[in-house]
Amino acid sequence: MDVPVTEARAQFADLVNRVAYTGEPVKLTRRGRVMAALVSPEDLELLEMVRSQRPDLQIGGTVPPGQPSRPAEQPQPAPPMRIAAEYRPPGFNR
């Protein structure tokens, strides 16, 4: 269920009860973008367990978009490019 933040303020107690009794998460949105979520205690416990086992998911350990989330998946840097040919004007002596 998606609820704009402005509506969530007015319905906060009802939303908390909904999550507590149904277990269904509520996504809080601003301009259509999810900003936060209300989740059940069980979901929170699972999230905390996953985060504790994955350093890249810990708070402050965000991964830039488009980058692999695991260090083992990090692409290896390409070897430096070497010059295959060089232009030498007529009469150039080295």
Side-chain angles (χ1 to χ4, degrees), residues 12-93:
F12 189 71
D14 292 336
L15 294 173
V16 169
N17 287 334
R18 180 183 187 118
V19 172
Y21 293 113
T22 68
E24 177 188 358
V26 174
K27 299 175 196 170
L28 306 176
T29 62
R30 182 177 294 147
R31 296 185 183 105
R33 183 171 170 228
V34 177
M35 302 302 290
L38 298 174
V39 297
S40 67
E42 295 82 14
D43 287 351
L44 178 60
E45 185 178 332
L46 180 61
L47 176 62
E48 289 172 340
M49 183 180 68
V50 169
R51 276 192 172 168
S52 70
Q53 295 174 2
R54 295 266 313 265
D56 58 313
L57 294 179
Q58 292 181 13
I59 296 173
T62 58
V63 177
Q67 293 293 319
S69 61
R70 295 185 180 145
E73 297 174 18
Q74 294 285 340
Q76 298 297 321
M81 296 181 75
R82 299 180 187 240
I83 297 175
E86 182 178 43
Y87 172 71
R88 294 184 183 170
F92 178 81
N93 291 325

